Amino acid sequence: MLGIMRVHKLPSQLINQIAAGEVVERPASVVKELVENSLDANAGHIEVDIDAGGLRLIRVRDDGDGMSLEDLVLAVDRHATSKIATLADLEGVQSLGFRGEALPSIASVSRLALTSRAADQERAWRIECDGNGDFTEPAPAPHPPGTTLEVRDLFFNTPARRKFMRTEKTEFGHVEKVLRQMALAAPDTGFVLRHNGRAVWQSPAGQESQRLERLLGPEFATHSLALEDAAAGLTLRGWIALPTFSRAQADMQYFFVNGRLVRDRVVAHAVRQGYADVLYHGRHPAYVLHLAIDPARVDVNVHPAKHEVRFRDSQLVHQFISRSLGEALSEVRPGEAPATRVALEADRSRPVPGAGSQARMGLATPAGGGEAYQAAWTEYARPGPATAEPVAEGSPVAAVAPAAGETDEDGAPPLGFAIAQLHGVYVLAENAQGLVLVDMHAAHERITYERLKQAIAGEGVRSQPLLVPESLAVSQGEADAAETHQDTFVQLGFELDRTGPESLLIRAVPAMLAQAEAGALVRDVLADLVVHGRSARLEEALNELLSTMACHGSVRAGRQLTLPEMNALLRDMERTERSGQCNHGRPTWVQLDLAELDRMFLRGR
């Protein structure tokens, strides 16, 4: 047990090392702080050199604004910064760094050298620190406009900290991950990364789509949608991957707030809501999203490493993000976005396949298939309202004419025309690109599901009074939320009365969920309202019920469809929101283009 000790001031070096414990976790933390400084200095090009995973050397060189001699001396002082001067500056900070702790903290656990030259200065100056807390006198040094920071022998004077470092490969992996994040945040800045003298990757400025492909892989670039939306002073832009390009882990999720990568529960929940209804169970979406917001409406001073933020109006931000993503995903139609498998190098020089190509492909079609296929094309291309062939009585799909504009550049519908059915499960269709395979049950399940949701939205949620009202014990905060959001509960089909400081009475529930446990559902809705200001619990419960109804009401596997029925299914898919996935997030169709088919059969080799 510690005895009574006199209060005393800590020495400056120990203060800096304590701060370093918050700011400098590993070499990647140093890279993050230094690159943020370069970006704040308006750097157009940043080079990062790493030796031994960053434990031996971290060098960050930029062509930014640079510093004068006076600023250079102050920059290594604790809590000295050019980025804020008043409380108002802190409340609306727009720079990535602002605490003024990074350089003295890093210098306290390494051998640091800082060289910088302002653009309007004739010479550069260099200052060094060997880890003892004292800096050398500035000395002239050759250097172009910009700044170079060298950090050598990280944690050399704190061996206990150094023991926590992993292998060189692991530490460099963390560095590479951080720099990838920074490169995604700043597409207008060029980056170069080298390890042990070898170039690992470089990305020129201004080539955002190429940078996405280089840093996240061609599959993400191919299977992602560009998104841009603005409302209520918020702007959201970036790329969201199609649900069929989901991940087993949340390892490809990048969300930037005013250029700062953040981890935020409000954002994470909003993104999940945006992907609700289209993502396979247990899978995670991939995205790179940038939110622009008035700096006064977001607090970035809530975490020493600046990983977290706090929104002034988290409910507004949540609703904006979830709505933007949900609408973007709902607008995806066949022909407007990539399917699950799209060749990166499509052969666009091939002519539109003709009616005889199904014979060339060796596929069996129903009796009269060739004539029916040609008739479907003729009917589709005919000007004016189209009249499809009669559908067999009791068919689960309705033959409808394609809407205006639902064609590709060759005048054919995006999913083409049916040519065969495989084992009563898959519809095979031919379009301008090649072969389309459709899981007919999954596709019709989505179509039926969306129609049921539209019907519910049009009629509203009907209530059903309980024969015996149910009493519910809640916290005072939850009871307050029930009163505050009384109108919300009415819209959801509930009738609630507050009967005491910590008690509610449930008098009516949504008719479609009359068999559900009313108390548990109300508690879940209240929990969401308290945390997020809104709740999707009821919508999720209703959608689960509608999904079950859609599954039972959809065309079953093994059901033989006629060509007109198959074509009607394809046309419905082209109209239906989220038709690329079934209600459970599985893909409903895939595209095999002719170039891909040729590769499979080694044609042209």
Side-chain angles (χ1 to χ4, degrees):
M1 181 175 179
L2 292 176
I4 298 175
M5 300 181 63
R6 298 282 307 245
V7 177
H8 61 278
K9 293 186 66 174
L10 294 174
S12 176
Q13 173 68 358
L14 184 55
I15 291 173
N16 287 336
Q17 290 193 341
I18 291 174
E22 297 179 342
V23 177
V24 187
E25 178 185 0
R26 60 191 339 139
S29 308
V30 176
V31 171
K32 176 180 181 292
E33 295 289 344
L34 300 187
V35 172
E36 283 184 345
N37 282 341
S38 295
L39 292 173
D40 285 339
N42 302 308
H45 184 77
I46 300 174
E47 296 186 9
V48 179
D49 287 276
I50 304 295
D51 284 357
L55 291 174
R56 187 163 60 232
L57 170 68
I58 299 171
R59 181 189 296 118
V60 177
R61 180 184 292 116
D62 69 55
D63 62 352
D65 298 335
M67 289 180 283
S68 65
L69 173 60
E70 295 77 10
D71 286 342
L72 184 72
V73 174
L74 287 174
V76 294
D77 274 356
R78 185 170 172 79
H79 299 310
T81 178
S82 63
K83 299 166 186 178
I84 59 172
T86 66
L87 178 60
D89 293 337
L90 180 62
E91 291 177 346
V93 65
Q94 300 185 49
S95 55
L96 296 175
F98 56 87
R99 294 174 183 269
E101 292 181 304
L103 292 184
S105 298
I106 295 170
S108 71
V109 292
S110 69
R111 296 183 171 92
L112 183 143
L114 169 60
T115 309
S116 188
R117 173 185 165 190
D120 59 352
Q121 300 289 312
E122 295 184 357
R123 66 171 61 181
W125 294 89
R126 180 180 177 90
I127 191 171
E128 299 179 5
C129 179
D130 61 2
N132 60 7
D134 297 324
F135 284 85
T136 63
E137 290 294 322
H143 195 281
T147 301
T148 296
L149 261 157
E150 294 181 354
V151 178
R152 296 182 182 274
D153 303 326
L154 187 63
F155 300 134
F156 80 97
N157 56 354
T158 52
R161 297 281 306 279
R162 193 177 180 98
K163 288 180 181 178
F164 282 92
M165 296 301 99
R166 304 302 181 184
T167 64
E168 175 179 323
K169 180 179 179 181
T170 298
E171 293 301 333
F172 179 73
H174 288 292
V175 170
E176 198 275 336
K177 179 181 179 180
V178 164
L179 200 62
R180 184 191 312 129
Q181 295 168 353
M182 307 295 281
L184 291 172
D188 294 329
T189 301
F191 287 85
V192 175
L193 174 63
R194 287 182 285 263
H195 188 215
N196 295 331
R198 181 180 62 85
V200 177
W201 59 261
Q202 58 183 351
S203 182
Q207 300 180 6
E208 196 165 8
S209 58
Q210 292 91 331
R211 181 169 295 186
L212 278 175
E213 183 171 340
R214 179 177 292 109
L215 299 181
L216 301 184
E219 288 298 303
F220 176 86
T222 303
H223 298 92
S224 61
L225 308 171
L227 179 149
E228 187 161 359
D229 195 11
L234 306 173
T235 300
L236 185 67
R237 59 170 293 274
W239 293 264
I240 56 175
L242 294 174
T244 45
F245 183 77
S246 59
R247 311 281 293 177
Q249 300 175 343
D251 60 345
M252 201 174 282
Q253 299 181 348
Y254 302 91
F255 196 95
F256 303 94
V257 177
N258 293 341
R260 184 190 310 277
L261 181 72
V262 302
R263 297 191 297 263
D264 184 83
R265 288 186 298 175
V266 171
V267 168
H269 188 270
V271 170
R272 286 198 302 272
Q273 288 294 110
Y275 273 89
D277 233 15
V278 294
L279 203 62
Y280 194 66
H281 178 70
R283 303 290 292 182
H284 299 271
Y287 53 85
V288 177
L289 290 170
H290 301 261
L291 177 68
I293 183 174
D294 181 352
R297 298 170 66 183
V298 57
D299 185 2
V300 300
N301 190 29
V302 296
H303 191 280
K306 305 186 293 290
H307 290 312
E308 299 175 5
V309 296
R310 182 178 295 116
F311 296 104
R312 309 286 187 206
D313 191 345
S314 59
Q315 181 180 348
L316 175 65
V317 172
H318 184 284
Q319 291 176 348
F320 173 66
I321 294 172
S322 61
R323 178 190 59 78
S324 296
L325 268 64
E327 290 183 356
L329 291 168
S330 70
E331 292 171 0
V332 174
R333 302 287 195 280
E336 297 178 5
T340 306
R341 300 178 62 197
V342 178
L344 291 177
E345 299 176 0
D347 183 358
R348 301 301 182 190
S349 62
R350 294 182 179 271
V352 178
S357 59
Q358 66 266 31
R360 171 174 59 82
M361 295 169 65
L363 298 173
T365 60
E371 293 78 4
Y373 179 93
Q374 188 61 48
W377 178 272
T378 303
E379 192 64 50
Y380 179 79
R382 179 184 302 167
T387 55
E389 297 180 33
V391 180
E393 183 178 355
S395 171
V397 292
V400 290
E406 293 184 348
T407 62
D408 62 18
E409 59 187 9
D410 299 301
L415 295 180
F417 295 108
I419 54 178
Q421 188 178 14
L422 184 63
H423 290 295
V425 176
Y426 301 103
V427 171
L428 280 63
E430 182 180 25
N431 66 357
Q433 286 73 45
L435 178 66
V436 174
L437 291 88
V438 175
D439 183 330
M440 66 182 198
H441 173 72
H444 196 240
E445 185 177 2
R446 168 61 73 178
I447 293 167
T448 306
Y449 178 45
E450 292 297 331
R451 287 175 177 169
L452 288 171
K453 288 199 298 182
Q454 290 174 6
I456 290 293
E459 298 173 0
V461 180
R462 291 184 296 170
S463 296
Q464 177 172 313
L466 296 178
L467 292 176
V468 179
E470 180 177 342
S471 181
L472 189 64
V474 296
S475 68
Q476 184 172 346
E478 290 174 328
D480 292 341
E483 278 193 319
T484 302
H485 297 279
Q486 183 70 28
D487 291 343
T488 300
F489 276 101
V490 171
Q491 292 171 2
L492 297 178
F494 287 101
E495 184 181 337
L496 300 180
D497 287 338
R498 186 171 186 173
T499 56
E502 297 180 342
S503 61
L504 298 172
L505 193 65
I506 307 174
R507 296 188 180 277
V509 296
M512 293 189 67
L513 298 176
Q515 303 304 315
E517 188 177 345
L521 188 55
V522 169
R523 289 184 190 279
D524 288 344
V525 173
L526 282 172
D528 285 344
L529 290 174
V530 170
V531 176
H532 303 293
R534 66 182 297 271
S535 177
R537 298 282 182 167
L538 180 68
E539 181 182 355
E540 291 170 357
L542 284 172
N543 286 346
E544 185 175 352
L545 178 60
L546 296 179
S547 177
T548 301
M549 294 169 60
C551 183
H552 289 288
S554 300
V555 58
R556 311 302 298 178
R559 166 78 155 81
Q560 295 298 318
L561 300 181
T562 65
L563 277 174
E565 289 174 332
M566 295 182 213
N567 284 316
L569 178 64
L570 299 178
R571 302 294 80 79
D572 272 344
M573 290 176 63
E574 292 161 355
R575 287 182 181 78
T576 302
E577 293 182 350
R578 307 175 182 90
S579 62
Q581 302 81 37
C582 75
N583 312 345
H584 314 291
R586 294 186 295 107
T588 59
W589 68 285
V590 295
Q591 172 83 60
L592 296 175
D593 66 24
L594 290 177
E596 189 171 3
L597 291 169
D598 285 347
R599 285 195 297 271
M600 293 170 66
F601 290 100
L602 305 179
R603 290 180 61 86
R605 300 265 179 110

